[in-house]
Structure formats: structure tokens, C-alpha cells
């Protein structure tokens, strides 16, 4: 029964996504010869057509990637891939903890190896064709090795901890596992700015006194205590620009990509930061964290129940091993299969995110000037070859940020 439900959801997901994507492709292509009025004085037709090409290429690529992902999912579950690996490891490894960790590692390795050519194609073909890629093959391999090392160093203790409480904490393991998960997230938040990010990029203090003064004044005006201003060599990997906040308490810092500083003037940078401060002022970050932790608890409770149901394994193509723990199996099945069902929550998450973006824009307009934010946004849309004419249905379903036209209309007219 669950097999049928799983297949039905998988097929409906694929068909529905394909329908959304074809809408987007048609919409973008239909508008490729006309820059929307709001932008016609600032964005040329060639830029607009380049954005249409880039958007379409990304969608076509993601359609292929998704078909392969679905094939891998079915191969691992219903076609017996997971069952095969589990049996082999059961013969090879006696220690239950090691056997289960090896099972998780094997599945992650398979997914990683299959994902690698896609990631390479995206960078060296797709991004390169539109002039965004700066990654050399050597850096690509180096990044992959570092990511693997971090996944092992951080992921292995996390997986071992969760498996341990599943085996030893009785019926309460769900709460312990959730506690581990929450603690792990805080650990990452703490490690990211000071340990993880510097493994990939160089961070140097912002060397522009005038801009630093403006930013400190803005932070003070907004009641935001600032630990430091850093510039990151984002240009090492990509021409896309960005800025973000990271860390908490006294260690809170603002990080600019060098690509962003190269393109925006001081007024525009200030407006972009005011937008980010808007997220902070409206407590969007805390709200998102609370939502994510609550959802994690719901998922763990659900997993706690599913892991005791024999049909959860057998209907997904795996026979649980008799007399041995099947906790890793339950975890893997859950994480593989869950997205097929949670996909339908995407529009709700996107809608909440867009509402937050409008709020942050409004805050930036109050603190700085809406004109500066508009000109920054126009430059960013143009530089990133983001489409100005998305299909409304596709956008409502997926987009975390409101379409450019709506954002700018709101900034102009309040
Ligand atoms: Zn934002």
C-alpha cells in the first residue's frame, strides 16, 4: 500500500515540476524580446536576453538532474539497492555501530559520486557559458575533498550519536536525537564563520574607512551590535555577488563578497545591508530557526513511529535484518523518501520567505533610501542574469524572493 503511495507521489511530483518548469520556460521565452517598463532605462535588451538564456539553461539542466535523482531513489529503494548494500555490510562487519555507519556512508558516497558530474557540468559548462564560473578544475577537486573531510569529521559523530540514542535511550530516543540535532545546528552556526568558511575563502577586514563609517552608523541607528566587517574573495569561485551576516553575540560579523563591493557604490551597499538588518530587526532569522527546529521534532516523532513499522521497510524495498538493529536503515529510508511528500510544502515556505523579503525591503527603505536599494537590486538582477519576467505560478511555488518587478513597485510606491 505504501509502495503505491510512494510511487504515486513520486510520479505526481515529477509531472507537476515538469509542468511548472515548462510554464517558466515558455514565459521567459515569450518575454525575451521586451525589457519590462520598470527596467527599460537601466537594463539593455542584450542583458535581458542573456538572463532569459541563463534562466532557461538552468531549468533544462535541473530537469535532467531531477530525472536522474528519481532513478537513483527508485534504484536504492524499490529496486533493492539499499537491501543489497545492507546485506553485504551485514556479512562484512560484525560491530553493529560500524556496520550502520558504513551503511550511511555508502549511501552518501553513492549520492555524492552521482552528484559530482552534475556539479562539474553546472560549473564548467552552464555557469562558464554565461561568464559566471571562476572555479578551476584544481579548485573544484580541492573543494570536493575539503567538503568530504568536513562531512566525515562533523557527520560521523552526529550519525554515531543519533544511532547510539536510537539503540540505548529506549522509547525516549526521539527527544534525545532531537536534542543532538539542535545542538549540532548551534555547533555549525558557531564553527561556520571562524573555522569552516575560512577553509574555502580568505576573509580580510574591510579596508574602506568611509564605507566602514557609514556601515557602523547604520548598525548603530538600527540597534545592531557589530563584531566586524569582512571582505571575502568570492571572485575565486564565481562572479555572482552577495553579502551576509554570520555568527552571534560579539562575534557577529558582516561579510561582503569582493564581487559585490566591485559593483555597488557606498549608498547601494548601505541599502543592501539595511535590508539584511531588516531581517534581523523583524526577527526573521530566529523565527526560521524555531520553525526548523519544531519541524525537526515533528519529523523525529514521525520517524520514531515509522521505524517500528515493518511495512515502512518492506514497502520501500528493504527487509529489516532479524535480531540486528535497523536504525541506520530507518534513518536512510526516511531521509530519502521524505522529500517526495514534503515537496508540497514548498509554496508555503516560499510564500513566508517572500513576505519576509518585502518586510526587509520596507525596513531598508525607512532606514536608508528606497532609490539606493532599487538601483542596487537592478544591478544585482542584471549582473546575476536573474530573469525579470518569471512565470507567476512558477514564482509563487518556488521563489524565496519576490519577482523583481513587484519588489521595485513596492519600493517605489510603498
Ligand atoms: Zn532578504
Amino acid at each position: 500500500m505504501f509502495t503505491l503511495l510512494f510511487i504515486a507521489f513520486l510520479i505526481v511530483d515529477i509531472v507537476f515540476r515538469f509542468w511548472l518548469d515548462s510554464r517558466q520556460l515558455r514565459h521567459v521565452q515569450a518575454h525575451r524580446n521586451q525589457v519590462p517598463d520598470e527596467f527599460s532605462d537601466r537594463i539593455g535588451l542584450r542583458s535581458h536576453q542573456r538572463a532569459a538564456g541563463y534562466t532557461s539553461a538552468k531549468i533544462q539542466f535541473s530537469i535532467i538532474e531531477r530525472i536522474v535523482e528519481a532513478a537513483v531513489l527508485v534504484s536504492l529503494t524499490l529496486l533493492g539497492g539499499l537491501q543489497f548494500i545492507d546485506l553485504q555490510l551485514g556479512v562484512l562487519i560484525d560491530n553493529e555501530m560500524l556496520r550502520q555507519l558504513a551503511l550511511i556512508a555508502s549511501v552518501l558516497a553513492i549520492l555524492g559520486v552521482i552528484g559530482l558530474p552534475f556539479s562539474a557540468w553546472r560549473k564548467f559548462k552552464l555557469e562558464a557559458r554565461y561568464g559566471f564560473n571562476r572555479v578551476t578544475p584544481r579548485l573544484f577537486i580541492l573543494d570536493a575533498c575539503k567538503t568530504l573531510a568536513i562531512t566525515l569529521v562533523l557527520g560521523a559523530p552526529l550519525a554515531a550519536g543519533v544511532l547510539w540514542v536510537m539503540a540505548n535511550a529506549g522509547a525516549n530516543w526521539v527527544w534525545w536525537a532531537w536534542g543532538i540535532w539542535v545542538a549540532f545546528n548551534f555547533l555549525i552556526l558557531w564553527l561556520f564563520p571562524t573555522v569552516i568558511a575560512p577553509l574555502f575563502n580568505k576573509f580580510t577586514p574591510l579596508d574602506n574607512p568611509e564605507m566602514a563609517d557609514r556601515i557602523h552608523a547604520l548598525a548603530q541607528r538600527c540597534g545592531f551590535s557589530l563584531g566586524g566587517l569582512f571582505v571575502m574573495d568570492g571572485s575565486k569561485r564565481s562572479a555572482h555577488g552577495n553579502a551576509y551576516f554570520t555568527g552571534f553575540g560579539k562575534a557577529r560579523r558582516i561579510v561582503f563578497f569582493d564581487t559585490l563591493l566591485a559593483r555597488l557604490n557606498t549608498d547601494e551597499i548601505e541599502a543592501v545591508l539595511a535590508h539584511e538588518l531588516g531581517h534581523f530587526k523583524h526577527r526573521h532569522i530566529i523565527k526560521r530557526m524555531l520553525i526548523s527546529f519544531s519541524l525537526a521534532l515533528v519529523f523525529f516523532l514521525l520517524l520514531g513511529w515509522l521505524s517500528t513499522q515493518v511495512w515502512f521497510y518492506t514497502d520501500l524495498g528493504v527487509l529489516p535484518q532479524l535480531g540486528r538493529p535497523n536504525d541506520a536503515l530507518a534513518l536512510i529510508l526516511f531521509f530519502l523518501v521524505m522529500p517526495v511528500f514534503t515537496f508540497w510544502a514548498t509554496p508555503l515556505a516560499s510564500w513566508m520567505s517572500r513576505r519576509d523579503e518585502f518586510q526587509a525591503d520596507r525596513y531598508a527603505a525607512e532606514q536608508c533610501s528606497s532609490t539606493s536599494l532599487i538601483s542596487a537590486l537592478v544591478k544585482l538582477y542584471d549582473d546575476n542574469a536573474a530573469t525579470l519576467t518569471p512565470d507567476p505560478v512558477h514564482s509563487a511555488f518556488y521563489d524565496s524572493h519576490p519577482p523583481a518587478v513587484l519588489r521595485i513597485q513596492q519600493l517605489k510606491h510603498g
Side-chain angles (χ1 to χ4, degrees):
M1 176 63 199
F2 189 60
T3 312
L4 286 179
L5 198 66
F6 171 57
I7 296 174
F9 264 82
L10 190 62
I11 292 173
V12 173
D13 284 7
I14 291 172
V15 172
F16 185 75
R17 281 168 182 243
F18 186 75
W19 176 72
L20 282 178
D21 283 344
S22 56
R23 280 190 67 108
Q24 174 84 333
L25 283 173
R26 255 181 289 134
H27 202 89
V28 168
Q29 287 306 325
H31 292 83
R32 76 185 290 278
N33 290 320
Q34 172 88 52
V35 183
D37 290 343
E38 287 85 348
F39 301 92
S40 54
D41 51 339
R42 281 185 266 201
I43 291 181
L45 184 60
R46 283 191 61 179
S47 279
H48 180 63
Q49 291 179 332
R50 171 171 171 260
Y54 180 55
T55 306
S56 305
K58 276 197 299 187
I59 288 197
Q60 283 155 351
F61 178 80
S62 72
I63 291 175
I64 298 169
E65 195 178 22
R66 207 176 305 131
I67 291 169
V68 173
E69 277 171 5
V72 172
L73 175 61
V74 173
S75 309
L76 279 174
T77 53
L78 302 181
L79 296 181
L82 205 53
Q83 163 86 24
F84 176 77
I85 304 168
D86 191 40
L87 285 179
Q88 299 299 316
L89 292 173
V91 178
L92 286 170
I93 306 175
D94 281 335
N95 182 296
E96 297 297 354
M97 177 59 91
L98 286 181
R99 178 179 68 85
Q100 297 197 80
L101 285 176
L103 181 62
I104 294 176
S106 310
V107 173
L108 289 180
I110 290 171
L111 297 178
V113 167
I114 293 169
L116 214 54
F118 283 98
S119 162
W121 183 276
R122 180 181 290 121
K123 291 207 165 64
F124 297 115
K125 291 283 179 185
L126 180 69
E127 295 283 307
R129 195 187 335 151
Y130 289 89
F132 289 124
N133 181 50
R134 303 267 172 86
V135 177
T136 58
R138 185 177 169 275
L139 182 62
F140 181 78
I141 294 168
L142 210 63
D143 280 354
C145 294
K146 284 180 192 168
T147 308
L148 177 64
I150 295 170
T151 311
L152 282 177
V153 170
L154 294 171
L158 171 69
V162 171
L163 288 174
W164 193 86
V165 295
M166 286 177 93
N168 296 290
N172 282 330
W173 75 261
V174 168
W175 296 90
W176 286 102
W178 182 64
I180 291 175
W181 175 248
V182 171
F184 180 77
N185 272 277
F186 278 105
L187 177 75
I188 298 290
L189 272 180
W190 178 60
L191 287 179
F192 183 79
T194 46
V195 180
I196 300 175
L199 289 174
F200 293 91
N201 285 97
K202 259 203 205 73
F203 292 82
T204 41
L206 176 68
D207 181 26
N208 180 338
E210 191 213 327
M211 194 182 285
D213 283 350
R214 288 276 294 276
I215 294 167
H216 280 291
L218 170 72
Q220 205 162 29
R221 209 158 67 227
C222 301
F224 182 87
S225 69
L226 195 55
L229 295 170
F230 290 87
V231 181
M232 186 188 108
D233 58 345
S235 56
K236 189 174 154 188
R237 291 195 178 73
S238 155
H240 291 298
N242 204 353
Y244 66 88
F245 282 89
T246 171
F248 26 31
K250 283 225 161 61
R252 204 183 270 146
R253 44 171 79 180
I254 294 174
V255 175
F256 300 103
F257 284 36
D258 52 359
T259 37
L260 188 78
L261 293 182
R263 263 302 267 161
L264 303 186
N265 65 36
T266 306
D267 288 335
E268 291 162 346
I269 294 270
E270 193 186 8
V272 168
L273 277 186
H275 168 97
E276 295 301 322
L277 283 171
H279 284 306
F280 165 79
K281 268 286 159 186
H282 287 290
R283 301 183 186 282
H284 294 156
I285 296 133
I286 305 235
K287 264 189 237 160
R288 280 176 205 183
M289 255 165 90
L290 287 177
I291 292 175
S292 130
F293 290 151
S294 321
L295 284 176
L297 180 59
V298 172
F299 286 140
F300 272 119
L301 288 166
L302 185 59
L303 172 61
W305 174 67
L306 286 173
S307 64
T308 60
Q309 309 296 311
V310 176
W311 58 261
F312 178 61
Y313 303 87
T314 51
D315 284 7
L316 290 172
V318 195
L319 285 174
Q321 298 214 21
L322 285 175
R324 300 183 84 168
N326 291 292
D327 300 332
L329 212 48
L331 278 173
I332 295 167
L333 281 177
F334 189 75
F335 282 105
L336 283 178
V337 169
M338 213 49 207
V340 174
F341 298 97
T342 53
F343 167 69
W344 296 95
T346 314
L348 180 63
S350 305
W351 173 76
M352 283 168 65
S353 171
R354 289 195 303 269
R355 196 191 49 180
D356 289 354
E357 294 304 330
F358 275 133
Q359 263 188 346
D361 275 353
R362 223 171 290 137
Y363 184 83
E366 287 160 19
Q367 296 299 325
C368 295
S369 86
S370 51
T371 335
S372 304
L373 186 56
I374 291 173
S375 68
L377 286 175
V378 171
K379 277 188 189 173
L380 292 176
Y381 278 107
D382 193 12
D383 286 359
N384 291 323
T387 180
L388 303 171
T389 55
D391 170 57
V393 181
H394 185 277
S395 173
F397 203 91
Y398 287 119
D399 286 354
S400 62
H401 286 64
V405 173
L406 291 184
R407 258 182 112 171
I408 285 169
Q409 272 171 4
Q410 193 216 241
L411 281 166
K412 273 188 181 151
H413 310 295

